[in-house]
Amino acid sequence: DTMHGVTRFLQSDIQLPDGPPGKATGSKDAESEDEDAVDDLGEIVRAVATETALIYTLLVALQDVEPDMGPTHVWPATNTVEHHATLWGTHTGGKLSVVEADEAFKVPHKDMVLRKGDLVMYDSRTMHCGGANKSGMRRSVFCVSTMGPGIRPDGTTWTMLKSLRNRLRISDFPLSKEMVQAPVAKPGAVAEALPPPPAKDDQARQGGAAAADEEEEEKPIPPLEDWAAAVQCTFCSRWRPCSVEEAPRLTGSEHGFFCKAVGFKCTQEQRYSTKEIDAIFG
């Protein structure tokens, strides 16, 4: 759910210096600038590595979770740079089967089989995923994620409504009566006026712009050997090529990745099979 801070830095487009400070040729001013640049870069590395906020997640079972209900798989002690590098360096879009993950991480997964009311708590950077539910019952868990101070990490642990984010801390619980009660409209209160509907001319212009977008030429799918990385569209489920630097940002988007983000359309065919795409990253 959460990318390791160091992994995020390594996958960024920040240019590392070619050599150690003081080795550059030229004037003393140039050498001084090089040293300052290296110092600044070192500060960035330190901040990303040590000041990225930690997120801890709790899954509380709302009913007994049996082995055939797809319990959460957790790979202990995989919240490290090495394990994250393994994930992103293996297969398409950092996806592994459970068996492949056991082998790649060199850590056997554990199934979170729980009794009603039990909970499992983990560092959000720890490798985990939901299992396949082969029973006829829904597996319901109450998920609570808390983030400490620091730089907000990249990842997908952002399912909370925006209106509720950053409003509560663990120290706020138990909530006071004032915080528990939601504000409601009072009798006699003046109703909020809705904005007027858009004018017909505006609607026509918007319609024309939409039509123009539809008429734009499709971006061609490049040859498979030119694919540096691939991401899967949340809407059409097709794989699209992108750069290695773009992949973490696109897959970590709050609302998922959509073809339009890299210039493609959901109506375009994938062109290559998922097996062919996976093979070039294997």
Side-chain angles (χ1 to χ4, degrees):
D1 286 347
T2 304
M3 181 181 291
H4 198 289
V6 175
T7 311
R8 176 177 64 175
F9 174 79
L10 293 175
Q11 292 185 341
S12 70
D13 56 2
I14 296 177
Q15 296 297 314
L16 295 172
D18 294 331
K23 295 296 183 182
T25 59
S27 66
K28 290 184 177 180
D29 289 341
E31 291 181 7
S32 177
E33 289 179 2
D34 287 341
E35 291 177 359
D36 290 342
V38 172
D39 289 342
D40 290 343
L41 186 58
E43 184 64 20
I44 293 173
V45 174
R46 185 194 64 77
V48 172
T50 64
E51 297 181 12
T52 298
L54 297 180
I55 299 177
Y56 288 92
T57 298
L58 294 87
L59 301 180
V60 184
L62 301 183
Q63 83 287 301
D64 291 349
V65 178
E66 304 294 347
D68 63 343
M69 294 174 66
T72 302
H73 302 318
V74 176
W75 284 263
T78 54
N79 56 338
T80 68
V81 178
E82 292 78 12
H83 288 97
H84 279 251
T86 297
L87 176 66
W88 284 102
T90 308
H91 285 358
T92 305
K95 293 183 181 294
L96 293 169
S97 69
V98 174
V99 175
E100 290 171 335
D102 284 351
E103 182 178 351
F105 299 146
K106 296 180 173 53
V107 176
H109 72 279
K110 293 184 179 295
D111 291 338
M112 298 296 104
V113 178
L114 306 171
R115 297 296 96 188
K116 181 179 179 179
D118 287 350
L119 66 82
V120 56
M121 178 179 179
Y122 53 86
D123 180 337
S124 186
R125 298 171 300 179
T126 302
M127 303 298 174
H128 62 279
C129 69
N133 191 341
K134 299 177 181 178
S135 71
M137 300 177 60
R138 181 188 295 271
R139 176 174 62 89
S140 299
V141 295
F142 178 59
C143 178
V144 180
S145 292
T146 60
M147 181 170 68
I151 303 170
R152 171 174 160 166
D154 287 343
T156 57
T157 311
W158 313 112
T159 54
M160 183 180 289
L161 294 174
K162 289 185 177 180
S163 60
L164 299 178
R165 292 178 188 169
N166 302 316
R167 289 185 55 184
L168 299 174
R169 296 179 179 273
I170 291 295
S171 57
D172 293 331
F173 292 91
L175 298 178
S176 64
K177 291 182 179 180
E178 292 74 17
M179 296 184 71
V180 171
Q181 293 178 345
V184 296
K186 296 180 180 179
V190 179
E192 291 288 339
L194 296 175
K200 290 185 178 180
D201 290 344
D202 292 339
Q203 290 178 332
R205 282 195 293 270
Q206 291 173 1
D213 288 341
E214 290 296 325
E215 293 172 1
E216 289 182 1
E217 292 186 6
E218 292 181 346
K219 178 180 177 180
I221 305 295
L224 191 56
E225 58 268 22
D226 293 341
W227 290 35
V231 286
Q232 189 174 30
C233 178
T234 302
F235 184 74
C236 69
S237 298
R238 292 185 172 94
W239 289 98
R240 301 304 187 194
C242 67
S243 68
V244 174
E245 293 77 17
E246 289 177 313
R249 175 179 60 82
L250 295 172
T251 56
S253 175
E254 180 178 351
H255 300 293
F257 161 73
F258 296 95
C259 292
K260 190 175 181 180
V262 287
F264 298 105
K265 294 183 179 181
C266 287
T267 54
Q268 287 179 267
E269 292 299 324
Q270 187 169 280
R271 185 176 175 183
Y272 304 102
S273 69
T274 300
K275 186 175 181 180
E276 289 175 316
I277 296 171
D278 195 58
I280 69 170
F281 298 106

